[in-house]
Amino acid sequence: MNGPVISVRGLRKVYKVHERETGLGATMRSLVRRRFKEVVAVDGIDLAIDSGEVVGFLGPNGAGKTTTLKMLSGLLYPTAGEAKVLGHIPWQREDTYLRRMALLMGNRTQLVWDIPAADSFLVLKEIFRIDDPTYRRRLDELVELLELQPLIHKPVRQLSLGERMKVEFAAGLLHGPDVVFLDEPTLGLDVSMQSRIRTFVKELNRRSGATILLTSHYMDDIVALTKRVVVIHHGRILYDGALADLAERMAPYKLVVATLRDGAADTDLSVYGDVVSRDGGRVRLQVPRALAAERTARIIGDLGTALADLTLEDPAIEEVIDRVFSGESVGEKVAVA
Amino acid sequence: MTLVPIYRALLLAGFQQAAQYRVQSLLWMLFAIIRPVIFLAAWVAVATAQGGSIAGYSVGDFAAYYVCLTFVSQLAMAWNSHEFEWEVNQGRLSPKLLRPLHPLHYSVVDNIIFKLNTLPVLGLILVAISLSFGARYATQPWHVVAFVPSIILAAALLFMFNWVIASLAFWATRMRTANTLFQRASFVFAGQIAPISLMPVWLQAMSFGLPFWYMQGAPTEILKGSVTVEQALLIMAGQSLWLVVTYVAFRWIWRRGLRAYQAVGA
């Protein structure tokens, strides 16, 4: 297919929420006249994602990530704007679109609880009209990748959360979607299960070439799986570009980590930058990005042999994101990759 | 493309699931037949006190009517308006909307499974009631033949009507009131409280004009053998008309409902 697999222009979603104060009086008044408040969940976003890309969608709770995924998967009608996924308008929910797309949401079940997953898979096989050889091949592949063999013949309600998530993944991907929307796929899972899911998603992208748009609160997910991130806040895209460039673009500072020798551990370094933390002789300083080289050189020159080690680092990605979301950093959208 | 393989797979999975809830299914069925049995007992008591009949209805006629009504009610039963509210509010609808199959089909399958599971026991109970109350049927073979399309139309009509009410859950968080209103209307107009011919003329006229009687009372009258060929054909015409109206209404509401759907909890 030529052009992006997912293209979005000016997509906007406004929820109308019933608003009422507490108390009997307010309750009575709301019976006569209901007050509604408009909540802008997604505020005119533009996006273009090419075939085979894995894109991380970052944002705090309520930023508009899930609402965007729901619109792109066809669950929600937008208030305004346009979107095309695989050449389809998602909210028209044509069968030909639904057969090529999957939305997988952490902690949400689509399997029948009282019967083994293998039986639910057979239902999905017919609903998605998957032919026998393709079904067997895909199932074998998913069973191998997700280590499902001991799980699929047990009733779903007897599975642990992590086991159920793996089985849910298989159910959602049996039809071999070309575009996969993953909403918090590792939510509530332990560290080892999170790691397995990450490996699986990576392998899925490598083997099938599926385009993946992923939301997660866990930076580890994003770092492990994506090269490109889209940062969304208050329904607007703040950044769309390489994960590696995110810190440079969005954090106007760097971190100097100086380790002082025993005799000089108490030396005051605040003249070189803002002291972020001090742990014995190890001092972390925040310095303006543009002055980082000059400040580093000054520290080396001034402290000489009192300095045991010195490193210059970009702030941790979590820190950058945290600053963006708490409104400390640049407010304008940064150039698209 | 044909829906047969999909229905086969859904039925298979559904029967496996229902096998774990057999007792629950039977309890629901017993719960549903309590009301007509109470009405039967009440009318029998009144008829007996009045010398054996009321307006031409003998004890045996009442027994036949309520046995047929119970059978029809069970065969035409639909409950998706109760379940749908929960599905919408808990986000259980979303996975269904993401599959290339209308959510209505899952309800059809659930409906069939419940009825097939409970029918044998229901049959035994109804035979026992017939015998103990001395039910008097005027059913001719053609009545049984006419009953088949009539009960299918009644079940389809009640099912679609339920979906119309269910679809209102896209806008309203609580649907209990709409459901109760529907049940109360059925109580009076569908022939549950009494055979419609015992009602005042103006109420009979209203019942013929509304959809409720066509869902339960009308096929009951056919099965009991109390209608002529012309009346049976008129009943089926009325059922077909209401089915078309209800289906068109459902399609209209559903399309708008999907636009309003907020996919909460999912």
Side-chain angles (χ1 to χ4, degrees), chain B residues 35 39 65-66 68-70 72-73 76 154 157-158 181-197 199 203-204 206-221 239:
Chain B
R35 184 185 284 174
F39 279 125
Y65 179 81
Y66 278 105
C68 290
L69 180 69
T70 309
V72 165
S73 303
L157 174 58
L158 187 48
L181 191 66
F182 170 58
Q183 281 168 2
R184 296 294 178 269
S186 297
F187 191 61
V188 177
F189 297 113
Q192 289 179 9
I193 199 165
I196 208 152
S197 53
M199 302 278 205
L203 213 71
Q204 286 186 36
M206 277 183 78
S207 300
F208 293 141
L210 293 169
F212 310 103
W213 185 68
Y214 299 98
M215 297 169 186
Q216 292 180 337
T220 300
E221 300 289 0
Q239 288 178 312

Side-chain angles (χ1 to χ4, degrees), chain B residues 189-263:
Chain B
F189 297 113
Q192 289 179 9
I193 199 165
I196 208 152
S197 53
L198 294 186
M199 302 278 205
V201 177
W202 63 270
L203 213 71
Q204 286 186 36
M206 277 183 78
S207 300
F208 293 141
L210 293 169
F212 310 103
W213 185 68
Y214 299 98
M215 297 169 186
Q216 292 180 337
T220 300
E221 300 289 0
I222 294 178
L223 184 63
K224 183 178 166 285
S226 47
V227 295
T228 63
V229 175
E230 291 76 18
Q231 286 170 330
L233 289 172
L234 266 175
I235 283 172
M236 285 187 263
Q239 288 178 312
S240 305
L241 180 70
W242 271 113
L243 181 58
V244 170
V245 170
T246 313
Y247 180 72
V248 171
F250 165 69
R251 291 289 302 261
W252 191 82
I253 293 173
W254 181 259
R255 267 203 302 273
R256 273 146 193 82
L258 283 180
R259 283 180 166 274
Y261 183 50
Q262 300 211 345

Side-chain angles (χ1 to χ4, degrees), chain B residues 64-96:
Chain B
Y65 179 81
Y66 278 105
V67 165
C68 290
L69 180 69
T70 309
F71 186 58
V72 165
S73 303
Q74 282 292 307
L75 286 183
M77 192 185 219
W79 55 89
N80 36 286
S81 57
H82 297 271
E83 285 183 355
F84 196 73
E85 170 193 321
W86 177 78
E87 288 200 331
V88 169
N89 293 327
Q90 297 297 314
R92 306 285 293 200
L93 180 66
S94 297
K96 289 183 180 173

Side-chain angles (χ1 to χ4, degrees), chain B residues 138-180:
Chain B
T139 316
Q140 300 293 316
W142 75 262
H143 282 121
V144 178
V145 173
F147 175 71
V148 176
S150 178
I151 188 65
I152 291 171
L153 285 167
L157 174 58
L158 187 48
F159 183 81
M160 289 315 306
F161 205 89
N162 249 266
W163 267 97
V164 169
I165 297 175
S167 305
L168 299 177
F170 282 124
W171 294 275
T173 316
R174 289 281 173 266
M175 291 299 302
R176 211 165 293 155
T177 324
N179 273 315
T180 307

Side-chain angles (χ1 to χ4, degrees), chain B residues 103-117:
Chain B
L104 183 141
H105 293 290
Y106 303 97
S107 302
V108 174
V109 171
D110 284 350
N111 200 295
I112 292 171
I113 288 168
F114 175 79
K115 286 166 188 174
L116 289 179
N117 266 333

